[in-house]
Amino acid sequence: FINANAPATVAAGDATLTAAQLLTSIIIGSPGTSAAAYTLPTVANLEAALPSIVKVGAAIDFTIINANGSSSGVITVTTNTGWTIGSAGIQGLMTIAATAGTSQRYRARKTGTGTWTLYRVA
């Protein structure tokens, strides 16, 4: 049993995700008829939303679901200040296909003071 917040939604077009959206664990995106970039919040904004007890090695998981039915509505997750992508092999896998119901699971891990790394895990 977990206590879960309602999923966050993102409307058409590019968007900068908020820390609150990541912390819901489920983000439902509707990019519209063209590709959209979903930029992570800055690490400073993410850490401001987390308890001060979060230490290096702590992680949060979240899923982005593409609810769009348009064949051109691909979602690409992009980084922001303080973020890195997990490894060279994962860098090309930051997209969620433009098929309704397609999803990607991510893990964000605190790697140092003011730094987090993003991994695609499923």
Side-chain angles (χ1 to χ4, degrees):
F1 175 78
I2 61 169
N3 185 19
N5 294 318
T9 58
V10 178
D14 296 341
T16 298
L17 303 175
T18 66
Q21 287 172 315
L22 291 187
L23 295 175
T24 67
S25 297
I26 300 173
I27 299 166
I28 299 171
S30 296
T33 58
S34 61
Y38 287 6
T39 303
L40 296 171
T42 65
V43 164
N45 286 342
L46 176 62
E47 290 185 344
L50 295 170
S52 61
I53 58 170
V54 173
K55 305 266 188 244
V56 170
I60 59 170
D61 289 353
F62 62 95
T63 300
I64 299 177
I65 302 167
N66 192 339
N68 196 50
S70 170
S71 62
S72 56
V74 173
I75 298 170
T76 301
V77 178
T78 62
T79 59
N80 206 332
T81 304
W83 288 95
T84 58
I85 299 295
S87 72
I90 294 175
Q91 286 177 345
L93 304 175
M94 290 292 137
T95 58
I96 299 109
T99 303
T102 302
S103 65
Q104 297 296 336
R105 184 101 175 130
Y106 298 94
R107 174 162 293 153
R109 182 176 175 273
K110 183 174 175 68
T111 54
T113 302
T115 60
W116 287 67
T117 299
L118 183 68
Y119 302 91
R120 189 187 105 168
V121 294

